[in-house]
Amino acid sequence: MTKKVHEDQRYVTALLNNNVALVNEIYKKSAGKVKSFVLFNNGSADDAADIFQEALVDIYNQAKYKNLQLTCPFEPFLLLVCKRKWLNELKKRSISPVTKSEDDLLHIGEDTFEQAEVLAQQKEQAALFLKAFEKLGERCKEIIRWSMQGEAQEKVAETLGVTYGYLRKKKSECMASLVKLIDRKND
Amino acid sequence: MTEDKILWTAQYVEGDLNEAECLEFENLLTHDEELKQYLADYYDIHSSLQMELANDDGRNKLLDTLQALNQEHFAAEQPKVVKLSSYLRWVSSAAAVLVLGILIWAPWKGDLYEQFNTEPRMNVTERGAEQTDLDKASVLFNDKKYSEAKAALGKLNAADPQNAMVAYYYGVSLIETNEVAKGRLLLEDLFKGESVYRYDAAYAMAMSYLKEDQKTDTKFWLEKIPDGAVQYEKAQELLKKL
């Protein structure tokens, strides 16, 4: 059963289309809350800005590359993503937060937790895939890196000085090696 | 064989199969679950990597926007340095005295209450279910129309005194509408019982005393909330401040 897409999907679309007015609305609604949460928990205004920006870029990425469909309201989702990010950051800095748990988030719906969880997982996974990618041979890395730029593959072949057919063949082989590398890690 | 399937999947997606091979692949895909999984994994890995590696114009533009908005919304307030004229100096010392006076008087004592009184929300609606009296009461309660919620919950409580959820929200409504004594009786009974609302009731009791600035009673109730209860951390935090 697919859940209904929430009307707040428009904020996600605003990020995709760089709709400045609507993105500004996101800031107006949520930036203050994230700022006070971070300030209250041993952070600075700059930290808050970094976290907020990172969260919005993560949401953009998930929307563009992972087809994010929001089934919960945008604001609690964003706030939850920001809070988790900041608590992780504190852990890295070995500072224990003032707000220990997510008690104050108890009124948030299950959908929101689920979506924040998926976002975090996919980000983590992408980082793992990138690590595996770094282990490939130089030629493979070059071919994959170029073909991921979103340009027409014919043009990529031209840039690399190979034929289109060779590029397809080589990319398939390189990607297969990568999948096997990742597969082995998961076993 | 497994490794061949992985390569085969990559070749299929990247357009490195001829027409006949494509058909064969798609045919097998209809009943080979393993192949289906490989295909899904391939798309997953491909899109994740693209997310990391692409020089994404849209993302770059968005970053510009975000950086501009960050300055507007996250700027740390710059302290302004102003030279004081003698008149201002006089006014500011008078103000300082006033501030001191207010500090001693401390009219914001209620702040702790504001800070710690998490307004509870009733979540009763089941998707698709017909609206019951309980649903109506919960809407009123969540809209903070406590006196109307109180009337509705009072009826429900009379009909089913064993229903702990109704009793709890009825008790809170009573306290919110200045029927504090009656509300406390109800919550106290609830606390003595075994329902999941036990410690919600204890916390609500503490809040009702905190509102009246009765610290001893507030502490008394906060201390009844054991480690492991949802409200424990909040209760401990407040205890430290009292």
Side-chain angles (χ1 to χ4, degrees):
Chain A
M1 200 183 77
T2 45
K3 282 180 191 158
K4 212 175 146 241
V5 176
H6 197 278
E7 56 175 7
D8 281 0
Q9 180 75 19
R10 67 199 177 99
Y11 291 113
V12 176
T13 312
L15 293 173
L16 284 174
N17 299 337
N18 192 22
N19 178 339
V20 180
L22 213 50
V23 175
N24 191 33
E25 206 177 289
I26 298 175
Y27 270 83
K28 273 195 207 151
K29 274 190 189 160
S30 312
K33 289 174 194 166
V34 172
K35 192 171 160 186
S36 16
F37 177 79
V38 172
L39 289 179
F40 185 64
N41 283 287
N42 302 309
S44 66
D46 282 345
D47 290 328
D50 288 347
I51 291 286
F52 199 71
Q53 176 174 322
E54 218 182 89
L56 289 174
V57 172
D58 282 357
I59 295 173
Y60 169 94
N61 279 337
Q62 219 204 359
K64 176 144 182 185
Y65 298 101
K66 297 288 177 183
N67 191 27
L68 165 69
Q69 302 277 315
L70 212 57
T71 56
C72 62
F74 186 81
E75 195 191 18
F77 171 59
L78 174 62
L79 294 181
L80 187 59
V81 171
C82 288
K83 283 186 182 190
R84 289 190 163 180
K85 269 185 185 298
W86 182 242
L87 293 179
N88 276 337
E89 179 62 30
L90 285 179
K91 219 186 269 169
K92 268 192 230 156
R93 299 185 190 176
S94 326
I95 301 170
S96 49
V98 178
T99 313
K100 276 202 186 118
S101 61
E102 284 168 351
D103 276 4
D104 54 333
L105 299 168
L106 275 180
H107 58 281
I108 282 179
E110 236 172 80
D111 279 6
T112 311
F113 275 106
E114 218 176 282
Q115 291 219 301
E117 194 57 41
V118 170
L119 185 102
Q121 274 172 8
Q122 288 187 336
K123 196 176 153 72
E124 216 172 281
Q125 220 180 24
L128 277 177
F129 295 165
L130 190 65
K131 260 193 191 161
F133 165 81
E134 295 295 347
K135 289 191 182 137
L136 291 173
E138 283 309 316
R139 186 63 173 159
C140 267
K141 275 199 272 190
E142 189 185 26
I143 283 172
I144 293 178
R145 197 185 293 279
W146 272 100
S147 64
M148 293 286 182
Q149 295 307 314
E151 287 188 62
Q153 298 299 296
E154 287 89 341
K155 217 181 150 195
V156 174
E158 203 187 304
T159 314
L160 290 168
V162 297
T163 63
Y164 184 27
Y166 177 82
L167 176 71
R168 285 191 310 241
K169 183 173 176 297
K170 200 68 194 151
K171 189 187 173 191
S172 316
E173 286 170 11
C174 292
M175 282 298 292
S177 317
L178 177 68
V179 173
K180 285 168 202 169
L181 265 178
I182 292 167
D183 244 24
R184 227 163 284 151
K185 226 182 244 159
N186 290 344
D187 284 344
Chain B
M1 187 60 210
T2 303
E3 297 211 341
D4 284 348
K5 274 189 190 171
I6 291 175
L7 180 61
W8 205 23
T9 306
Q11 286 169 331
Y12 172 73
V13 177
E14 301 304 334
D16 197 32
L17 296 182
N18 64 36
E19 215 171 308
E21 289 167 330
C22 258
L23 274 176
E24 197 191 338
F25 183 91
E26 281 163 4
N27 243 331
L28 194 56
L29 203 58
T30 54
H31 57 267
D32 185 336
E33 291 302 318
E34 195 187 26
L35 195 61
K36 262 187 213 168
Q37 192 56 51
Y38 279 130
L39 187 60
D41 288 348
Y42 190 87
Y43 282 126
D44 188 31
I45 291 170
H46 195 281
S47 59
S48 295
L49 216 53
Q50 208 170 8
M51 183 162 103
E52 297 283 342
L53 297 176
N55 179 22
D56 184 333
D57 249 1
R59 188 162 56 199
N60 295 339
K61 280 184 191 143
L62 177 67
L63 271 171
D64 289 342
T65 305
L66 298 183
Q67 268 150 17
L69 288 171
N70 274 347
Q71 299 206 330
E72 196 180 313
H73 292 273
F74 283 98
E77 277 103 58
Q78 294 290 322
K80 281 187 192 151
V81 183
V82 184
K83 270 197 170 177
L84 295 182
S85 68
S86 58
Y87 167 72
L88 264 179
R89 221 173 285 156
W90 185 85
V91 171
S92 50
S93 46
V97 172
L98 197 67
V99 167
L100 217 73
I102 291 174
L103 271 173
I104 293 162
W105 176 41
W108 55 78
K109 270 199 174 148
D111 265 15
L112 274 183
Y113 177 74
E114 296 294 334
Q115 222 176 311
F116 282 89
N117 184 36
T118 42
E119 274 147 2
R121 290 181 66 79
M122 281 180 86
N123 291 314
V124 295
T125 322
E126 279 168 46
R127 243 171 262 190
E130 226 177 285
Q131 221 196 17
T132 61
D133 288 345
L134 186 60
D135 294 332
K136 284 177 203 154
S138 80
V139 171
L140 292 168
F141 185 91
N142 291 339
D143 286 344
K144 295 182 200 159
K145 293 175 181 158
Y146 293 117
S147 45
E148 288 163 66
K150 179 175 71 178
L153 288 163
K155 270 184 215 158
L156 289 165
N157 179 247
D160 181 9
Q162 298 306 316
N163 186 328
M165 182 181 76
V166 169
Y168 169 68
Y169 289 106
Y170 183 38
V172 174
S173 306
L174 284 165
I175 287 174
E176 288 290 352
T177 50
N178 292 325
E179 288 194 59
V180 181
K182 198 173 167 189
R184 278 181 188 152
L185 274 178
L186 206 67
L187 290 175
E188 207 167 346
D189 276 342
L190 203 54
F191 174 73
K192 284 179 196 153
E194 291 297 338
S195 78
V196 289
Y197 286 92
R198 266 194 89 179
Y199 302 117
D200 289 297
Y203 195 80
M205 286 295 274
M207 285 303 113
S208 77
Y209 286 112
L210 183 63
K211 201 176 180 181
E212 297 170 0
D213 208 18
Q214 297 194 45
K215 286 189 185 152
T216 324
D217 288 309
T218 308
K219 281 185 195 163
F220 173 79
W221 282 101
L222 288 175
E223 276 159 5
K224 291 201 178 299
I225 298 170
D227 195 351
V230 180
Q231 305 79 359
Y232 177 70
E233 305 245 349
K234 246 187 145 96
Q236 292 302 311
E237 203 183 319
L238 177 54
L239 274 171
K240 263 180 230 152
K241 295 198 178 182
L242 284 171

